[in-house]
Amino acid sequence: MARGGPRLDHGRRRELGQSFQDGGEHYQRVRPGYPGESADWLIPAGARDAVDVGAGTGKFTALLLERGLTVAAVDPSGDMLGQLRAHYPEVSATQGTAEATGLTSSAFDVVSVAQAWHWCDPLPASTELARILRPGGTLGLTWNQLDTSIPWVHRLSRIMHAGDVYKPGFRPVVGPEFEGLESHVTRWEDSLSTAEIMELTKSRSYYLRATEAIRGKVLANLDWYLHENLGHDADADISLPYLTLTWRAAKA
């Protein structure tokens, strides 16, 4: 069985992660949220305090707030956190990383990391997140992934150069500070127009790091695939199938 996500060394991980330092408004507008079912499964009974690490613009933070938790947020991008603060002023939001949150020890019942664990160095991050969790606290890792078991979505993901695609053997690496890693899958669909799919593509690390020539080629290929090959009208909504994979483990 495959373990972990992409095999990135520390330098490469930092290089790719820099793609998301800016563009918070665009990310907030075009990226999907998460199904409530994933948060319901992740959050243990009686939890009061949570921190969303790699929170970005607050896509998963919103689910924690909706479930009555007191929430803190950490992200390395000040631009992303600006969007989060604007939408969720009740959240204590600070710049930091999963490896160095700067937060108080044993302060939280839940630590969530949504769409960001693959940008983290998993063993140092596990040590740091275990430090800020209370005894028996929960670490939750979540990913939205395109459901590439559906042929047209698989081809779309290839044209988009989407990294968030379902890998059946995927199992995230966590450190020895955590035990009992288990998983949950939610199948759902996001409704969006072809123009919004184009904008979604522009929010991905491949596109953000690409040259203008490559960006133009990606968008031209998408335009052909969505409108000519699949025959969608420009103003018609499309149901884009997703899987949300959620993992949880308890502080040992």
Side-chain angles (χ1 to χ4, degrees), residues 147-191:
D147 187 355
T148 54
S149 67
I150 301 169
W152 77 265
V153 179
H154 182 263
R155 188 171 183 185
L156 176 69
S157 75
R158 297 291 297 273
I159 296 171
M160 294 170 70
H161 294 268
D164 53 343
V165 298
Y166 181 50
K167 302 173 181 66
F170 175 75
R171 180 181 175 86
V173 174
V174 298
E177 297 86 357
F178 294 97
E179 60 186 8
L181 185 67
E182 56 184 337
S183 65
H184 178 272
V185 178
T186 303
R187 295 179 180 272
W188 63 287
E189 294 184 348
D190 192 27
S191 180

Side-chain angles (χ1 to χ4, degrees), residues 27-34 55 57-63 88:
Y27 190 100
Q28 171 65 19
R29 178 165 49 85
V30 305
R31 282 293 183 109
Y34 298 88
T57 63
K59 295 287 187 176
F60 198 82
T61 308
L63 296 183
Y88 311 109

Side-chain angles (χ1 to χ4, degrees), residues 1-63:
M1 175 178 289
R3 289 183 60 84
R7 294 184 178 275
L8 303 176
D9 62 26
H10 180 68
R12 182 61 171 158
R13 187 180 288 111
R14 284 180 59 85
E15 176 189 342
L16 294 173
Q18 289 297 315
S19 303
F20 297 103
Q21 286 297 311
D22 301 314
E25 188 278 331
H26 185 257
Y27 190 100
Q28 171 65 19
R29 178 165 49 85
V30 305
R31 282 293 183 109
Y34 298 88
E37 180 183 322
S38 62
D40 292 336
W41 180 83
L42 170 61
I43 300 168
R48 304 184 308 277
D49 302 290
V51 56
D52 194 15
V53 175
T57 63
K59 295 287 187 176
F60 198 82
T61 308
L63 296 183

